[in-house]
Amino acid sequence: MSADRFAGCDGEIETLRQAIKGCRLCRDAPAKGEGDRLPHEPRPVAVLSTTARVLIAGQAPGLRVHESGLPFNDASGNRLRDWMAVSREEFYDPGRFAIVPMGFCFPGYDDKGGDLPPRKECAPLWRARTLAAMPQIELILAVGGYAHAWHLGSRRKKGMTETVMNWREYFFVNQGPRVLVLPHPSWRNTGWLRKNPWFEADVLPVLRQNVDSLIRGTNFG
């Protein structure tokens, strides 16, 4: 299975897909100058769709995703799929989910072996165009702090915990797609999940009900 699969390939989406696939901006024109070039060959990973009603807005691919070309093809993806109560087959069906991270390419590792933040070149160039090409999106799952910052702007709280704790402020808004803020499903947040049981009790039922309604047509009244 490949992330290049598309649900519907109208001209605009296909043109955009090819442009993203060929992007080398972080290697050839890095935002911070020559010393900040992406140190490896870029491999943009994103799934666009003309029919999906749910958009997963993550951070940036990890090394395993970079190697496979398949978004969330790792333990974080397993946890995210469990949060949503969807199968792997459903998750990778572009008729059900669009997957557009803040950065399309694996950014590399920092000095401590952790993933670097999403590249600064990517979102300003691609994000508005990508979202405009998918006007059918009804729910945006903003996964992690970088997605929170982009999709909430000045409405974001000071930290991730406070932002997710106040999810209702962003979700129950009658303008544009609903935005549901989530922590990143990385193993690094396992301790956070244990300390914040309200997330599983309060947020996950809402997440599962809305995803179920949008990808399976279930009506919860």
Side-chain angles (χ1 to χ4, degrees):
M1 186 183 300
S2 169
D4 284 340
R5 290 179 57 200
F6 272 74
C9 288
D10 67 14
E12 182 181 10
I13 285 285
E14 179 62 16
T15 298
L16 184 57
R17 182 182 78 90
Q18 292 297 333
I20 289 171
K21 187 176 181 179
C23 182
R24 298 295 183 268
L25 183 66
C26 55
R27 184 196 65 187
D28 298 341
K32 295 182 180 179
E34 293 291 325
D36 191 45
R37 289 179 181 274
L38 190 73
H40 52 264
E41 179 65 17
R43 187 181 189 182
V45 177
V47 177
L48 311 186
S49 172
T50 60
T51 59
R53 298 161 70 189
V54 181
L55 169 65
I56 300 171
Q59 300 201 130
L63 179 59
R64 185 171 176 179
V65 173
H66 172 75
E67 292 173 343
S68 68
L70 199 63
F72 285 102
N73 185 33
D74 51 22
S76 294
N78 292 338
R79 174 174 275 170
L80 180 59
R81 287 182 281 274
D82 180 65
W83 284 354
M84 294 191 294
V86 300
S87 69
R88 186 178 175 90
E89 182 179 9
E90 288 172 323
F91 185 83
Y92 289 116
D93 177 359
R96 292 185 165 117
F97 294 100
I99 306 174
V100 183
M102 298 306 302
F104 293 152
C105 293
F106 170 53
Y109 294 122
D110 61 23
D111 293 339
K112 297 181 180 180
D115 288 359
L116 288 167
R119 296 288 304 195
K120 293 183 179 298
E121 303 88 354
C122 198
L125 176 63
W126 294 115
R127 198 145 197 88
R129 292 172 60 187
T130 302
L131 296 178
M134 297 188 293
Q136 82 284 352
I137 295 295
E138 297 181 37
L139 174 64
I140 296 173
L141 305 180
V143 182
Y146 293 98
H148 298 172
W150 181 275
H151 287 281
L152 301 181
S154 61
R155 296 180 297 155
R156 183 177 62 140
K157 307 300 181 183
K158 290 183 179 180
M160 187 270 288
T161 299
E162 188 178 357
T163 299
V164 178
M165 189 175 292
N166 287 276
W167 63 272
R168 294 175 181 85
E169 291 185 20
Y170 322 118
F171 186 69
F172 295 109
V173 175
N174 296 320
Q175 184 177 4
R178 285 185 168 184
V179 177
L180 185 58
V181 290
L182 305 173
H184 196 280
S186 167
W187 64 267
R188 297 176 185 272
N189 280 333
T190 298
W192 183 91
L193 294 168
R194 290 188 184 130
K195 292 177 183 178
N196 296 278
W198 53 265
F199 173 74
E200 182 173 352
D202 298 341
V203 182
L204 289 192
V206 174
L207 170 63
R208 289 169 179 168
Q209 288 179 1
N210 279 268
V211 167
D212 193 29
S213 175
L214 292 172
I215 75 166
R216 303 186 186 107
T218 306
N219 185 1
F220 286 88

